[in-house]
Amino acid sequence: MNVFQALKMGFSGILSNKLRSILTMLGIIIGVAAVIVLVSLATGTTQSITDRISSMGTNLLTVNIRGRGNEGSLTEEELNRWREKDGIQYLAPVMNASLEVKAGTNSSNANLIGSNDDYLMMNSLNLDYGRSLADMDLFARTHVALIGSEIAETLYEGDDPLGKNIKLRGNNFTVIGVLESAGSSMFGSNDTRVIIPFTTAQRLEQQARINQVSIGVSTAEQVAEIKAYLEGELLDKYGSSDYFSIFDQTELLSTLEETTAMLAILVGCIAGISLLVGGIGIMNIMLVSVTERTREIGIRKAIGAKRRDILSQFLIESIVISCVGGLIGVGAGVGITKAAGALVASLSGNVSFNVVTIAFGFSVAIGVVFGVYPANKAAGLNPIDALRYQ
């Protein structure tokens, strides 16, 4: 019996029990779709986060000081000395707080950031209109603020906010600029920032210490040199690395990529379990089919069918079920992934060709592996015993 005849008989066996075949495929369909959807969303979302971090540049360092009193603070003299170091392009002390911002009867929750103009440059924050923070604002501790686009819309409902006041902890601040929309991430909106001069934030939060500094290095090649310089400076001051940490953005990217790669593999393996369950379903149904068609097998053997003919017939049935289920699963997985990406902006709807290939290839392998035993059992039947079977 040639391959064409084997395929014809295999399809005939499947079509003779359409509902049972569809239900058998269901396990493969769900398994393939789950692998594609979960792995694609995991890797796609990770890539989105990585691209967002990379867009800010990988030549950023963040210095955090731990401790109390003078031990937990940097001085203006130290920051000015660091600014003179060749290779340090931007330097911004940073203070963060969450608070409520008000304008008239409207209010909104905001992420307060006390810093300087260098902070905007390092984080690729552009002004939609207005002006940025000036050195005079820091020197005079002026009550001025830059607000995110979402804050502007919530508080002023389409009106021009420039020159108008907002209230932060009961204090009036004049809006001098509105930031361009930065969109949202899986951590929330990026357009709820309110940026004020660092010195003003110190007074507003009653916090005189400088315990966080962001540093932009001129080139990525100088990051290691500047990091070593800062570590030396801080070790000379504190005598121990327990009092400070220097965060390198390239380390974040590397750690993020390693962690999410492992996560994607883990998610894929979990989703692959449903494929194994689908394979067990195929084997179960094929064993039932062998039992139901025992007399047919006996007749075919009696008129000259060889062992390999029976083996190939049932094996092809198993493979066809897994292949058709795999193709439907691929279509469902790609569709669900695209739909998720369209509905949720922070998710990526991109499907990797490699993921599709692996998922479909695994479904075919499942059909072969779990189809061998039923096919071998059918091929091994004694024709006389098979003819007697009722």
Side-chain angles (χ1 to χ4, degrees), residues 277-289:
V277 174
I280 294 171
I282 289 176
M283 184 170 67
N284 182 51
I285 293 301
M286 293 306 298
L287 286 172
V288 172
S289 180

Side-chain angles (χ1 to χ4, degrees), residues 310-323:
I310 306 297
L311 184 70
S312 61
Q313 176 189 348
F314 283 89
L315 190 57
I316 284 173
E317 282 188 31
S318 175
I319 293 173
V320 168
I321 289 174
S322 63
C323 285

Side-chain angles (χ1 to χ4, degrees), residues 349-362:
N350 296 324
V351 179
S352 167
F353 177 76
N354 291 335
V355 173
V356 172
T357 303
I358 291 171
F360 180 73
F362 194 50

Side-chain angles (χ1 to χ4, degrees), residues 10 21 26 47 49 88-89 93 125 128 159 181 220-222 234 255 261 269 304 312 324 335 339 350 366-367 382 388:
S21 299
L26 197 57
Q47 186 61 48
I49 296 171
I88 293 181
Q89 184 177 14
L125 298 176
D128 190 12
D159 292 340
S181 176
E221 291 73 20
Q222 292 177 290
L234 295 172
T255 302
C269 290
S312 61
V324 173
N350 296 324
I366 288 289
N382 185 293
R388 288 175 180 171

Side-chain angles (χ1 to χ4, degrees), residues 70-87:
N70 293 331
E71 289 184 345
S73 177
L74 295 169
T75 65
E76 282 290 345
E77 291 74 17
E78 288 170 323
L79 298 188
N80 290 332
R81 186 170 70 250
W82 291 0
R83 284 189 179 92
E84 300 300 320
K85 172 65 178 176
D86 182 42

